[in-house]
Amino acid sequence: MNIPFNPSEIASDALFAGREKEVTILTENFLSGKNTIILSHLKEGKSSLFARAISLSTDKDVDFKVCRISSADITGEADFCRILVQQILFSLSTGVDESMGFLSRCFPSSDPRIVVGNDGALRLEADFSRCTQAQLFRTFDVVASYVEEKGVKLCLAVEDIQQILQFNDPIEFYRHFSSSVRKSRNMFYCLFGSSVFRMHEFLKEASMSFKLHDSVITLQQLKVSDFDTRLSDIFAASGKYLDPDNSSYLAGLAGAHPYYVNLLARQSWLMTSVVCTREIISQAFESLLDVMSLSFQKYLQTMTDQQICYRRAIISGETS
């Protein structure tokens, strides 16, 4: 029997909870081509929200396309431009001649080439050693022009956008990137990431007109009531029973955090033969705490005494 809970995957329709308002806003933004930034703390459901809105948008508009980029492993401005062009190329190009023409327009002095990696996947390589920052940023305009030529509506989705804070000049990068996209009639972006407070401060500094042009969705913490009977329904569909009251108890133990609710529900489901009792949920919770405490202890070992004392002060409610 397949396990109905998987915290590492996009939330299923049955488990997607408490974000109906955000889904409506994001879908409307996509269909109208409005640039959007989604911010939340880690594992709060950004990717699941994005996937749901994309699904609804593609159902309503056959010309709607998505190009998705993860910034997690991107090392700087040049690497971002390379990945951007690679993903655009693989998403929209229809032939070798078209692909090579597009590459030459993007990187005229960087010897671009497409290679096959050890895993069999295609990868774009280029020598950026002779590229100036201005030449790199020109790539955004070329991409926007290419998308317009293709006649599609493209959502340029960039995950882990907080990684741009590690670039050499993140403010200048964002200004050029957002300016090129805003000028395009066929392309818009959806950026999402963590480090909520740092990103809000960065965006204020990067663009004085930010609020006039973009929609910022900051995901709020879910409530236990948002999960209503979802967990009980999923248990029932798999031939097991979870009382609605115990469903609320499970969501409450996990702080109504979507990732940890999913994780605790998975552990509880695995420990259940037929009926998932409160005792089973508590045992599952304790087993997860034992596993996570090892990671927490390892994390503490990397902290200074000052950092530890600061966190103790926050926990104890100190304000000054």
Side-chain angles (χ1 to χ4, degrees), residues 303-319:
M303 297 172 62
T304 65
D305 290 342
Q306 184 178 10
Q307 289 173 322
I308 293 174
C309 289
Y310 177 70
R311 282 158 176 77
R312 284 175 175 167
I314 292 177
I315 293 172
S316 62
E318 297 290 341
T319 57

Side-chain angles (χ1 to χ4, degrees), residues 197-216:
F197 301 113
R198 290 182 66 199
M199 283 304 301
H200 270 296
E201 289 302 313
F202 166 75
L203 293 169
K204 288 179 183 177
E205 185 177 358
S207 177
M208 296 299 292
S209 60
F210 176 71
K211 292 183 179 179
L212 298 178
H213 294 279
D214 295 60
S215 171
V216 183

Side-chain angles (χ1 to χ4, degrees), residues 32-46:
S32 62
K34 189 173 185 179
N35 296 318
T36 306
I37 297 179
I38 308 172
L39 299 177
S40 80
H41 298 296
L42 288 172
K43 306 292 186 180
E44 288 278 9
K46 296 180 294 293

Side-chain angles (χ1 to χ4, degrees), residues 71-88:
S71 301
D73 300 319
I74 290 178
T75 57
E77 289 90 337
D79 202 28
F80 183 94
C81 290
R82 179 186 66 81
I83 296 294
L84 169 63
V85 171
Q86 173 181 287
Q87 296 305 102
I88 291 288

Side-chain angles (χ1 to χ4, degrees), residues 9 18 23 34 46 58-59 62 70 93 97 178 186 222-223 243 264 271 273 290 293:
E9 294 183 352
V23 168
K34 189 173 185 179
K46 296 180 294 293
T58 51
D59 287 344
V62 294
S70 174
S93 178
D97 291 340
S178 61
N186 295 65
L222 295 177
K223 302 184 292 293
D243 182 87
L264 181 55
M271 295 173 64
S273 296
D290 290 340
S293 64

Side-chain angles (χ1 to χ4, degrees), residues 37-44 46-47 69-76 80 157-171 173-174 177 190-203:
I37 297 179
I38 308 172
L39 299 177
S40 80
H41 298 296
L42 288 172
K43 306 292 186 180
E44 288 278 9
K46 296 180 294 293
S47 295
I69 299 171
S70 174
S71 301
D73 300 319
I74 290 178
T75 57
F80 183 94
V158 184
E159 301 177 71
D160 303 303
I161 192 61
Q162 70 274 5
Q163 289 300 116
I164 70 173
L165 299 174
Q166 311 302 321
F167 289 3
N168 292 329
D169 193 345
I171 290 180
F173 168 86
Y174 174 75
F177 172 78
C190 178
L191 316 178
F192 43 111
S194 306
S195 303
V196 177
F197 301 113
R198 290 182 66 199
M199 283 304 301
H200 270 296
E201 289 302 313
F202 166 75
L203 293 169

Side-chain angles (χ1 to χ4, degrees), residues 83-126:
I83 296 294
L84 169 63
V85 171
Q86 173 181 287
Q87 296 305 102
I88 291 288
L89 186 69
F90 296 161
S91 297
L92 301 181
S93 178
T94 56
V96 175
D97 291 340
E98 179 184 326
S99 298
M100 297 313 299
F102 176 54
L103 290 179
S104 298
R105 289 163 60 187
C106 290
F107 309 124
S109 60
S110 302
D111 188 26
R113 55 198 178 278
I114 299 174
V115 300
V116 180
N118 295 330
D119 57 356
L122 296 177
R123 173 183 170 86
L124 170 62
E125 292 185 353

